Amino acid sequence: MKISLNWLKDFIDIQESPEKLGTILTDIGLEVEGLEQIEEVEGGMKGLVVGEVLECSKHPDADKLSLTRVDVGGEEPLSVVCGAPNVAAGQKVVVATIGTELSMNGSSFTIKRAKIRGQLSEGMICAEDEIGLGTSHDGIMVLDNTAVPGTPAADYFKLESDSVFEIGLTPNRIDAASHFGTARDLAAFYSMSRKIELKKPFLTDIKPDSKGRTVEVTIEDTEGCRRFTGLTITDIQVAPSPKWLQLRLKAIGLSPINNVVDITNYVLHELGQPLHAYDADKLADDKIIVRRPAEGTSFVTLDGVERKLSAEDVMVCDAKRGVCIAGVFGGFESGITEQTKNIFLESAYFDPVSVRKTAKRHGLSTDSSFRFERGVDPEITLVALKRAASLIRDLAKGTISSEIIDIHPSPIKAWEIDAKYSHIDRLCGKKIDPSLIKSILASLDIRVVKEEGDDLKLLVAPYRVDVTREADVIEEILRIYGYNNIGFSDKLNSSVSYQQQPDHEKMVNFVSDYLTSNGFTEIMANSLTRGEYYRELTSFPAEKSVPVMNPLSADLNVMRQTILFGGLESISRNINHKNPNLRLFEYGRVYQLENKDTADFKNFREHPVFGIFLSGNREEARWNAAEQKVDFFQLKAYFLSLLAKLGISESRLDVAPLEDRQDIFGGGLAFSLAGDILVEAGTVQPELLARFDIEQEVFFAEIFWDVLFKKITLSRSFTELPKFPEVRRDLALLIDEEIEYAKIEKLAYSAGKGMLKRVLLFDYYRGKNIPEGKKSYAVSFYLQDLKKTLTDKEIDRIMSKLTDLLKAELNATLR
């Protein structure tokens, strides 16, 4: 939100510099994110002065140039070579002195002392286009004879400069979304240190000059429209706005259109009340009806786009059709044009929830909807109408042709809040004088209606939609009193409490530290995502997505079921920015409906997960190392090592193919412990990658943290280094094609009874001399007794038992 300092000064006496005022605004809750200096003319005419041409003669070496002597208020006149045909002695002109920077046609140049055709020139006599006051370049600008040489051009032309604050307005502070609202907060702050007057907008008495044109207003939807005011103005002259009005709008980033539209925008940003002007001659039967439309009704908005209305939208209609989406956007056919002669001016209060849903439904965000959906002041509608009507009467020469219409079917009353001085002191952390508390409350339009000892009964104005309980009132007091005025106590309170072991946050940080130490970068994706991602997926069905009731956009309309898609978005973005070699991880929550028929807080499941992503090369290409792509086994090594650090060895895990995730993984495995899946990992399907324009392989693992956390074992035991040697025995096994290595490893450990320390697959063969349906594994077994040296007899007994077990369980034979 942009706030003009000059505009603020219409309502309140401000003595501080713009920088100091920015600090004050931030301190009272209106955070200033930027401060910009605005000049009416680019550059502010710095270096331009009024001059008087004392002498003028022809240049001896150029027919189209003149030699002049110009008095600019200095000790000596300046010699200036001028090419304008209309320059003459006795003229008052604008002179650009040496060092002045001028801009023309998008380019700039600096005035320097120079010789032109052999004659010294110490400046430039300017045309109107050269100083930003027009487009003519036919000759120099000649000023009135009353102009005094040496006067800065900015002072002569009375140029206006302004300071504009960019305020990051929080959603709850819609009461400050105007210059008057901001001035009201400043007045409350200043009232603590000096007497201050908050000036109200100037209003003239609005009485009909005639009663020749009246529009009949009917409110059928009293829930959607709580108040409607309006009047008719005839015989207006649509024309460009006066300079002062255009400057005000330009300062806050708005482009002037015409006097009528500009006035409605001006009042919006002055008072915070959206207005709408209709071409009265285009209203059928001079009627306005506020109602809900039929589902699917077509309506063309001011931007020329045809939209299909919902039966839940609130519409302002005439006797035949809709003319405006209430509180959001006007209609194309009833808008103000240069031919408009008669208007109906509307100032209303529309239901915030209805406006918000309508704006989101149609993908519209306007200055009007921004305010209505947060809750405007229901009591200012009439004030804003009168303010705009008086301006239109003065600036567009209009005639007030009807009485003011004010329909208020369900008035919004101020609400009562009970507060205590003791509670205020306790929450503020400091005792504040009761008289100062009451002064602050009064300046914020919070009235003390009853005071008995420690108790206060307060009446809060309806426009303070965010002040509904005692804590809100205390926050308002503290905001104006100043957080910086609250000191720190020397007293420190603490308590001893039982903490679950292992600590959840510490373990999350432990995993994150492990991954970052291995070269991973943490990403943080939005928990809201596109519902389109889940269409036609069986792994994560679209009907299981948790919908957002009022989504910001179609890209953020459901809660994510998996952490995968946010990671793919990040990978796609990085690849597009020439960063293809990626190791990424994310910790976050995923969401899924338990019952697709209902969506409420008790119906969906939410659980935390870690997502790990690998893509591209293992490391950057270099002269002494060949390029090597990442693969699934590298990903597997990372998460198995992580599990080992959490007390879960690979030998305890059951591994199975991911048959129900084939639309996600081109090939994947599930790693389980005691029947609970801890990790699902694999290669992401190329078809899925294509939706994100990713052409390189991506390997993904999803760790189900809530399941894993319950199985973490942090107990550690330490033993001395082995004194006795380790023995290795190798077996070449011929086994069936479908048997996995993990089964061999698991059987070996069960037969080793503590003597088997390691199992390693060092060769795999399938082909010549191997029967069809068979494969050959060469496996190393490492045996060790920590108490003595193993004898050959003991080793042979263990290996024999192991061979018999493999044959019995897996039908394995020795080659």
Side-chain angles (χ1 to χ4, degrees), residues 52-57 67-71 77-78 80 87-90:
E52 180 178 3
V53 181
L54 302 178
E55 303 173 8
C56 181
S57 61
L67 303 180
T68 65
R69 298 276 288 169
V70 184
D71 176 15
L78 301 179
V80 179
V87 65

Side-chain angles (χ1 to χ4, degrees), residues 794-812:
E794 290 172 323
I795 295 171
D796 291 341
R797 185 171 63 250
I798 295 173
M799 294 304 298
S800 176
K801 182 179 178 181
L802 175 59
T803 304
D804 291 342
L805 184 62
L806 291 173
K807 183 176 181 179
E809 296 291 334
L810 304 179
N811 194 28

Side-chain angles (χ1 to χ4, degrees), residues 351-405:
D351 178 60
V353 174
S354 175
V355 172
R356 181 167 59 250
K357 288 183 177 181
T358 295
K360 300 304 179 189
R361 190 179 297 118
H362 296 289
L364 293 169
S365 180
T366 61
D367 283 340
S368 177
S369 67
F370 176 84
R371 287 161 175 80
F372 275 126
E373 67 188 30
R374 286 162 175 80
V376 299
D377 182 2
E379 300 302 323
I380 210 170
T381 53
L382 189 57
V383 176
L385 181 74
K386 291 181 177 180
R387 173 68 166 150
S390 63
L391 287 171
I392 292 173
R393 182 174 60 185
D394 295 340
L395 303 182
K397 311 302 180 185
T399 299
I400 308 297
S401 299
S402 73
E403 296 284 356
I404 291 177
I405 300 165

